[in-house]
Amino acid sequence: MSLLQIAEPNQSAKPHAHRYALGIDLGTTRSLVAVVRSGEPQVIGDKVGECQSGHIEQSIDCQKLLPSVVYFGKDEQGNDQTFVGSFAEKMAEQLPQYTIRSVKRFMGRSRADIKFNHPYELVGDDGFMPSIATPQGAKNPVEISSLILQHLYARAKTALPDNSIVGAVITVPAYFDEAQRQATKDSAKLIGLHVIRLLNEPTAAAMAYGLNKNDKQAYHLIYDLGGGTFDVSVLRLNHGVYEVLATGGNSALGGDDIDRLIANYLIKQTGIDPKNIDNQQKQVINVQARQYKEQLTNQETVKTTIQIDSKVYQAELNNQIVAEIIKPVTDRTLVVCEQVLRDAKLDKSQLDEIVLVGGSTRMPIIQQLVEQNFAKKPLCRINPDEVVALGASKYADQLINEQQNSVLLLDVTPLSLGLETMGGLTEVIIPRNTPIPVKRKQVFTTYQDYQNAMIIHVVQGERETIKDNRSLGQFKLTDIPAMKAGLVRIEVTFAIDADGQLTVTAQELTTGKQSEISVKPSYGLSESEQEKLLQAGFDNAMFDREQRSLIEAEVEAGRELLAIDSALLEFERLLSQSQLTKLQNAMQNVRQAIEQHDKNVLDTAVVQLKTHSDEFASLIMNQAVSDSMTGTTTADWVKS
């Protein structure tokens, strides 16, 4: 006989336990929130505000997809007026400069880094994440993102029992760096939402499809073309373990860019240069272009109508024309795919599945392009707009319920991490595409005699020299024991946790003196900037190797000069005037060769110096032996 388990109200066993964790896709153009209820992941819609507002058509999708748009304005009485979602999207046509869309592109980036087109007035210093000027004052990207999260959080709280939400898993592009991830966490913190974990979007998509259920090893490529960003990741799945083998992306590829290309095409058909159209008119045409693009998902041809300066222009669009218009975007996506496959050391034929993610992959053009390129029909049976949020909710549910069959996630760091060494060289500690979490250690020493402090400069990038990479932060290790150069041992540890947070620690091993930094820079690298660093590393590999060889030779020559100078202070008396003059002349030749930055000249000068420095070293050694023998007899060497 089986026993029936009976539980008190609100104390029932899984899958009906009233304890929920949200999965949030904080997207560039659209955002969603999902949750697992009764064992099934489902997107939570806004049944009241979004779809019954009259601003956009009533549909299930409209209830679920929240436009990632925030409007900051004033009402007729001068009171603050803030709209989120479709209400705000409507204001973009009237006041685009105060209607913030695609704020994800601004997250964790400095003002100097923001080079893409936008209608906003940015305020703040170039080296820091900017704010956007609005009638309500300056609003920073973290604050704006928090309002989108707050709206999603409110949806969930309305749909779920009181006090039942314990936190959320929020998805981010796999290419987001430390600053961008931290900015995302800070947005949630502003509204009191606990972030259980940040999850890479491609991994979330794979989880939504349950690709980990297969016991055999398999390789999957996640092609994520959203509204404002493009991401590609190659995953290896084996017995429930998700391992990101390689990742890449570009923030200048997405539905927004496709909309702008179509809008510019429509404007050019009128004979007008798009540069002569003001931001407000351009924003209206961009919205129309998006609508025409969406119509072409279900029909082959659409009639277009746009208005410029009160004059109406008509044209016709079809998928063939659009395919040519957006070719700069689609070609670039394939280039990124090829690079990521090379990084993963895989061929297209080895891929088991191609997963489509992001609203832009609804376009038949994109689906056909992917199928032709990989010779394999891609997976798109789950709504590509919802797949990331659904996967995040499944993972969130596994985390809070500590399921025995929960998956193990092995993500990677997108760019190499290292520190500055003498001569402005980069010493890589953690190479790019290393699985995280990870911890790596390396021992360094001092350059000068009796050096009592050291600056640890942390950088990110693929180039050999510091000036060509990106600085993430620096800190100082003090109270180093006063020793000769090369005798001090300083162990530097780079540790990246599961969320991609980097901590760097430096410890002097004889005293245990330690200092560390948790790298949370005020701005980070965009996907396109990271791609540029990667490409620069490939393009300049030969030049960088030659430069590194030269700099290392110069540093070593400099160390030799310092050592000789130190020895002269104590043992100059051992040299004749002729020997001293020859040694000093050879040292001067090395100094001049270092200034010339010519490896061949330097090598010749160092060889000539070595002749005289070796002679000097021999004299010092003889003197040391003589001093040690003074006052001893043969009897001192006989064992008693």
Side-chain angles (χ1 to χ4, degrees), residues 347-476:
D347 186 78
K348 294 177 185 179
S349 61
Q350 294 175 270
L351 295 173
D352 293 272
E353 297 288 357
I354 314 295
V355 178
L356 297 185
V357 179
S360 296
T361 61
R362 287 174 177 269
M363 297 176 66
I365 298 167
I366 301 297
Q367 294 179 12
Q368 292 166 12
L369 174 82
V370 172
E371 184 172 355
Q372 290 169 5
N373 184 69
F374 293 99
K376 184 183 296 291
K377 192 171 183 63
L379 288 177
C380 54
R381 63 177 180 271
I382 298 177
N383 186 331
D385 283 316
E386 299 179 4
V387 64
V388 168
L390 292 172
S393 70
K394 290 176 70 172
Y395 185 52
D397 186 64
Q398 291 178 4
L399 290 178
I400 65 166
N401 292 308
E402 299 178 349
Q403 295 180 11
Q404 292 183 351
N405 64 340
S406 61
V407 299
L408 174 64
L409 302 179
L410 297 176
D411 293 330
V412 296
T413 180
L415 286 173
S416 298
L417 294 162
L419 50 78
E420 179 179 2
T421 59
M422 282 303 300
L425 292 175
T426 302
E427 181 67 24
V428 173
I429 308 297
I430 299 179
R432 67 188 177 92
N433 283 328
T434 297
I436 59 175
V438 64
K439 180 184 285 189
R440 295 280 174 85
K441 298 181 179 181
Q442 193 161 325
V443 175
F444 296 86
T445 189
T446 50
Y447 178 75
Q448 294 182 328
D449 291 344
Y450 313 116
Q451 182 177 337
N452 61 8
M454 178 181 288
I455 293 177
I456 309 297
H457 183 195
V458 183
V459 297
Q460 185 178 40
E462 305 308 313
R463 302 293 298 277
E464 296 287 352
T465 57
I466 290 298
K467 63 183 178 64
D468 295 316
N469 288 325
R470 187 61 171 273
S471 174
L472 293 182
Q474 59 184 25
F475 63 99
K476 182 182 287 188

Side-chain angles (χ1 to χ4, degrees), residues 476-481 490-491 505-515:
K476 182 182 287 188
L477 178 65
T478 58
D479 299 330
I480 296 173
I490 297 169
E491 184 179 74
T505 304
Q507 182 179 36
E508 201 287 308
L509 295 179
T510 59
T511 64
K513 178 69 176 179
Q514 179 174 307
S515 185

Side-chain angles (χ1 to χ4, degrees), residues 107-404:
M107 290 285 277
R109 303 179 64 184
S110 76
R111 181 177 177 180
D113 292 333
I114 297 170
K115 303 185 187 303
F116 50 83
N117 292 327
H118 61 80
Y120 315 119
E121 178 189 346
L122 302 184
V123 295
D125 296 334
D126 279 354
F128 296 90
M129 189 163 61
S131 294
I132 297 173
T134 78
Q136 297 181 27
K139 303 292 181 180
N140 66 60
V142 171
E143 181 181 2
I144 297 166
S145 294
S146 74
L147 293 176
I148 298 170
L149 283 174
Q150 188 175 47
H151 196 100
L152 296 172
Y153 193 20
R155 282 184 178 185
K157 287 194 284 190
T158 299
L160 300 171
D162 292 342
N163 303 315
S164 62
I165 301 173
V166 298
V169 168
I170 301 178
T171 62
V172 293
Y175 231 52
F176 256 27
D177 77 339
E178 289 82 6
Q180 292 164 306
R181 291 170 188 267
Q182 186 59 44
T184 303
K185 286 192 235 179
D186 289 344
S187 296
K189 187 176 180 180
L190 279 180
I191 63 168
L193 176 60
H194 170 58
V195 179
I196 302 171
R197 172 146 184 202
L198 297 180
L199 179 65
N200 285 345
E201 290 165 0
T203 308
M207 294 189 70
Y209 275 100
L211 298 181
N212 61 308
K213 303 302 182 184
N214 199 329
D215 287 338
K216 75 178 182 70
Q217 180 169 276
Y219 298 98
H220 306 304
L221 183 140
I222 314 299
Y223 181 101
D224 184 352
L225 186 61
T229 59
F230 174 62
D231 293 290
V232 178
S233 291
V234 173
L235 308 182
R236 176 166 58 201
L237 282 76
N238 191 16
H239 299 287
V241 177
Y242 285 83
E243 182 180 1
V244 181
L245 296 182
T247 186
N250 191 316
S251 65
L253 296 171
D256 288 350
D257 304 288
I258 289 174
D259 296 342
R260 278 191 286 271
L261 287 172
I262 296 173
N264 285 342
Y265 171 82
L266 294 175
I267 294 170
K268 288 177 181 177
Q269 296 307 298
T270 68
I272 300 173
D273 189 335
K275 294 179 181 177
N276 298 327
I277 306 295
D278 63 50
N279 283 332
Q280 187 168 338
Q281 283 186 316
K282 195 171 289 184
Q283 181 61 43
V284 172
I285 298 172
N286 281 345
V287 171
Q288 290 177 296
R290 183 184 310 122
Q291 293 169 348
Y292 296 138
K293 175 188 72 177
E294 291 170 353
Q295 290 174 26
L296 285 172
T297 301
N298 300 313
Q299 58 192 76
E300 186 57 36
T301 305
V302 296
K303 300 288 185 181
T304 67
T305 302
I306 63 172
Q307 182 174 314
I308 301 175
D309 296 331
S310 301
K311 188 172 181 180
V312 176
Y313 300 89
Q314 293 183 332
E316 186 175 280
L317 275 179
N318 59 46
N319 280 317
Q320 186 175 354
I321 293 174
V322 171
E324 284 300 313
I325 294 171
I326 69 172
K327 199 171 186 299
V329 171
T330 54
D331 285 352
R332 192 66 188 132
T333 68
L334 297 182
V335 170
V336 175
C337 289
E338 290 171 2
Q339 181 60 61
V340 171
L341 282 171
R342 282 197 296 270
D343 288 345
K345 297 180 174 58
L346 290 176
D347 186 78
K348 294 177 185 179
S349 61
Q350 294 175 270
L351 295 173
D352 293 272
E353 297 288 357
I354 314 295
V355 178
L356 297 185
V357 179
S360 296
T361 61
R362 287 174 177 269
M363 297 176 66
I365 298 167
I366 301 297
Q367 294 179 12
Q368 292 166 12
L369 174 82
V370 172
E371 184 172 355
Q372 290 169 5
N373 184 69
F374 293 99
K376 184 183 296 291
K377 192 171 183 63
L379 288 177
C380 54
R381 63 177 180 271
I382 298 177
N383 186 331
D385 283 316
E386 299 179 4
V387 64
V388 168
L390 292 172
S393 70
K394 290 176 70 172
Y395 185 52
D397 186 64
Q398 291 178 4
L399 290 178
I400 65 166
N401 292 308
E402 299 178 349
Q403 295 180 11
Q404 292 183 351

